[in-house]
Amino acid sequence: MIRHDVHHLPGGLPRYVRGRVVMVGDAAHATLPTMGQGAATALEDGVCVGRIVAAGVASGQSLGAALAAYDAARRPRCRALARASVVSGRFGSHLGPRWQGVRNALMRRTPASAVTRGTRAVMGWTPPALP
């Protein structure tokens, strides 16, 4: 048996930017691994830093304002993913064998359209548009 402690930042950091330092990925918004989104959100963060900050500075915004725009753009999605990972954990492997069977039976009866709708919020991310 191997035991691995799992830690997350409920709600994430109070802000992802301090001065000229930008926190991305698990450093900013570590979530439970139940949804497998850690690396994906880190990559999304990188894309957003590049697009939002570069576009802001190129249009004459101060670096501070551009970084604040990045923070405001990323925080809602990252918080939603963190909340979803907690819910997924509660109804996933933490149920125990008896309740997992009940959950699996219910999932088999869930229409595919409902499952697809639920995954769009996670998998349907698109990068911010360039100005």
Side-chain angles (χ1 to χ4, degrees):
M1 177 184 279
I2 297 174
R3 176 190 163 138
H4 294 283
D5 292 334
V6 176
H7 302 280
H8 69 113
L9 298 171
L13 293 177
R15 58 185 172 271
Y16 299 166
V17 174
R18 176 175 278 170
R20 296 175 62 165
V21 176
V22 178
M23 301 300 279
V24 300
D26 285 349
H29 44 73
T31 64
L32 296 174
T34 54
M35 293 178 47
Q37 291 299 300
T41 55
L43 292 170
E44 289 177 12
D45 288 347
V47 169
C48 288
V49 166
R51 285 183 171 222
I52 295 170
V53 175
V57 171
S59 70
Q61 250 184 349
S62 70
L63 177 60
L67 292 172
Y70 158 77
D71 186 274
R74 290 302 294 160
R75 188 173 305 282
R77 174 169 170 76
C78 294
R79 283 192 171 164
L81 288 172
R83 285 190 303 270
S85 73
V86 169
V87 170
S88 178
R90 285 189 183 136
F91 295 103
S93 61
H94 295 49
L95 288 176
R98 178 177 174 211
W99 290 107
Q100 280 182 344
V102 172
R103 185 229 29 227
N104 292 348
L106 290 171
M107 288 300 294
R108 282 192 291 277
R109 289 170 179 78
T110 303
S113 60
V115 174
T116 301
R117 229 182 1 262
T119 61
R120 276 194 197 117
V122 176
M123 307 303 250
W125 180 79
T126 55
L130 292 173

